[in-house]
Structures are given as C-alpha cells and as structure tokens.
C-alpha cells in the first residue's frame, strides 16, 4: 500500500467532534456569499432574497480553534467573518427542504477569513475569488457539536471580538436563507456528501485583522472560537 500513490498523499483534513473520540472528516467546504441584510448592505449589495450564491474553500483550509493562524501573504486587508457552520452527516442531490435537516450531523463556529483587498479587486475585474477566500488556514473552526446536543439553531446571538473589542454582532434569526433552504439550494448545484461543511454567512461588522490580534467569536448554544493571528 505504501507505493499506491505516485507522490506522498496528504492526510484527509479533519475537525474535532465535541466530547467524542471520533473526528469529522472534511470532504468539501462550501460558503454562502451573503446571508445577513446588514452585512449585504455594508458590502454594497442588496439585502433582498435573491438566491444565495456559493463559493468554496479547500478542505485543508480548516484549522482548529486555539491555533495560531498565520497571516496570509500578499494581502494588506485580512478580514474576519464569524459564521455558523453546518456539518453534513449525509448528502444527496436536489434535497427537498422539508428533509434537509436530516442530513445535518452537527454545527460549529467558523471564521471565513478573507483577503478583502483581493476580493474587491476580483469583483471589479470579474475574476474568481480563490485567492481571496481559499488560502491556507482560511477556515478556523471550533469542534463540531452533534445535533443530538445542539438541536437545530434558528435564533441566537452570533458575535466576534478582536482584542476584547466587540466587532461583529447579529442573530441567526436574521439570516436571509435558513439552513434547510441553503442545503436544498446548494444540493441543486452539487452532489452533497457526508463530510461537507457549509459556512452560512456572516453578520455585519467585518473588519481587518493584523498579526498579534486575538480573535474570539461565537454562536449562542454552539461554541466559542478563539485564535490568534501571527506573522507568517
Ligand atoms: Mn463569509
């Protein structure tokens, strides 16, 4: 088996499962582009119910809460985006909304780290977002809380502090697209599978991070994400 691959094979990225010896194997990371009215407005977009749009991060962008997150190169404007993350325990295609929640394994808190300067330039030039969203360590995440313990959160405070100062605050009840709606829509574009993570969008108050900053953010009933930002 050791000579099965032509080059060394990277291990599958995983995320801790809260109070469990088992880890969650990450297959794909999907992200919702705009899902809170206040944040849509601060980014210069409408806050209507235009269908959600999606982008992706590589699976190995996950980095555990408590880690030092290296500041990515070639940005002068790294931003935080605190988000509720859905972890799928099963998948499917064109999943009906009324059964979408049966696919959820659990929930976590994540930071959709963004090179905002590159994202704004990409939008202007009609270029892809990969360098803005899909860089190394771009997805700090807490342990996943299984649904049996978390339930399916539909309201609750979502917040983020930088160096102890509150920067982002909202409520899950303000999400433009609910978790079942996101899963149903996403599954019309992609075949979803166990191991997929979905970052569900961020509330208003996104802003810059620099090396030395301490980030702390959470979702009521799910967990608290903590990480530092350190020089490369
Ligand atoms: Mn985001």
């Amino acid at each position: 088996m050791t000579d099965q691959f032509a080059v060394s094979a990277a291990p599958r990225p995983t995320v801790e499962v809260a109070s469990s010896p088992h880890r969650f194997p990450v297959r794909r990371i999907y992200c919702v582009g705009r899902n809170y009215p206040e944040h849509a407005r601060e980014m210069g977009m409408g806050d209507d119910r235009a269908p959600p749009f999606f982008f992706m991060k590589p699976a190995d962008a996950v980095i555990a809460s408590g880690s030092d997150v290296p500041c990515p190169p070639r940005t002068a404007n790294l931003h935080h985006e605190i988000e509720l993350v859905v972890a799928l325990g099963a998948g499917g295609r064109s999943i009906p909304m009324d059964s979408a929640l049966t696919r959820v394994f659990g929930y976590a808190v994540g930071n959709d780290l963004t090179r905002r300067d590159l994202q704004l330039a990409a939008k202007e030039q009609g270029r892809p977002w990969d360098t803005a969203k899909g860089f190394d360590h771009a997805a700090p995440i807490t342990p996943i809380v299984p649904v049996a313990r978390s339930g399916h959160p539909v309201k609750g405070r979502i917040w983020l502090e930088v160096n102890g100062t509150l920067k982002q605050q909202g409520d899950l009840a303000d999400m433009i697209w609910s978790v079942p709606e996101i899963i149903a829509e996403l599954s019309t574009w992609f075949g979803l599978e166990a191991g997929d993570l979905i970052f569900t969008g961020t509330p208003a108050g996104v802003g810059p991070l620099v090396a030395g900053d301490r980030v702390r953010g959470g979702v009521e009933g799910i967990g608290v994400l903590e990480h530092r930002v350190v020089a490369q």
Side-chain angles (χ1 to χ4, degrees):
M1 287 300 282
T2 52
D3 58 358
Q4 182 182 358
F5 298 113
V7 300
S8 69
R12 182 149 184 181
T14 62
V15 175
E16 187 179 334
V17 175
S19 309
S20 166
H22 302 299
R23 297 184 66 85
F24 183 88
V26 182
R27 191 188 77 116
R28 293 182 182 170
I29 304 176
Y30 296 103
C31 305
V32 180
R34 158 190 46 67
N35 207 22
Y36 290 78
E38 286 287 331
H39 174 61
R41 284 195 284 275
E42 79 180 348
M43 296 302 291
M45 296 180 285
D47 57 358
D48 56 16
R49 280 178 61 89
F53 67 94
F54 303 100
F55 60 91
M56 296 172 76
K57 290 174 186 274
D60 67 356
V62 290
I63 178 166
S65 183
S67 304
D68 285 350
V69 175
C71 202
R74 303 188 68 169
T75 182
N77 199 17
L78 177 68
H79 268 207
H80 53 77
E81 296 191 357
I82 192 75
E83 310 201 357
L84 173 71
V85 181
V86 180
L88 296 187
R93 293 178 185 273
S94 298
I95 298 167
M97 211 172 68
D98 60 10
S99 70
L101 289 181
T102 65
R103 269 66 168 195
V104 178
F105 169 79
Y107 295 90
V109 181
N111 188 357
D112 169 18
L113 286 173
T114 302
R115 283 164 161 150
R116 191 72 71 202
D117 44 358
L118 301 194
Q119 186 197 28
L120 296 178
K123 281 183 184 176
E124 230 163 67
Q125 296 163 17
R127 288 182 178 170
W129 286 11
D130 301 62
T131 57
K133 290 288 197 177
F135 50 89
D136 300 338
H137 314 299
I141 187 168
T142 64
I144 295 164
V145 182
V147 162
R149 284 179 41 213
S150 66
H152 294 286
V154 293
K155 59 183 170 60
R157 184 169 177 252
I158 176 168
W159 56 277
L160 180 139
E161 297 171 354
V162 179
N163 302 321
T165 303
L166 187 65
K167 299 290 185 182
Q168 288 191 263
Q169 180 156 237
D171 195 288
L172 298 182
D174 298 333
M175 284 171 51
I176 297 171
W177 294 91
S178 69
V179 170
E181 287 172 327
I182 291 167
I183 292 171
E185 174 74 13
L186 187 59
S187 71
T188 67
W189 293 100
F190 303 100
L192 302 181
E193 287 189 23
D196 291 344
L197 295 175
I198 307 170
F199 280 60
T200 60
T202 199
V206 299
L209 292 172
V210 295
D213 282 345
R214 287 174 296 107
V215 177
R216 195 163 175 274
V219 174
E220 192 178 339
I222 304 300
V224 175
L225 172 72
E226 285 185 281
H227 69 80
R228 290 200 314 158
V229 178
V230 299
Q232 268 279 354

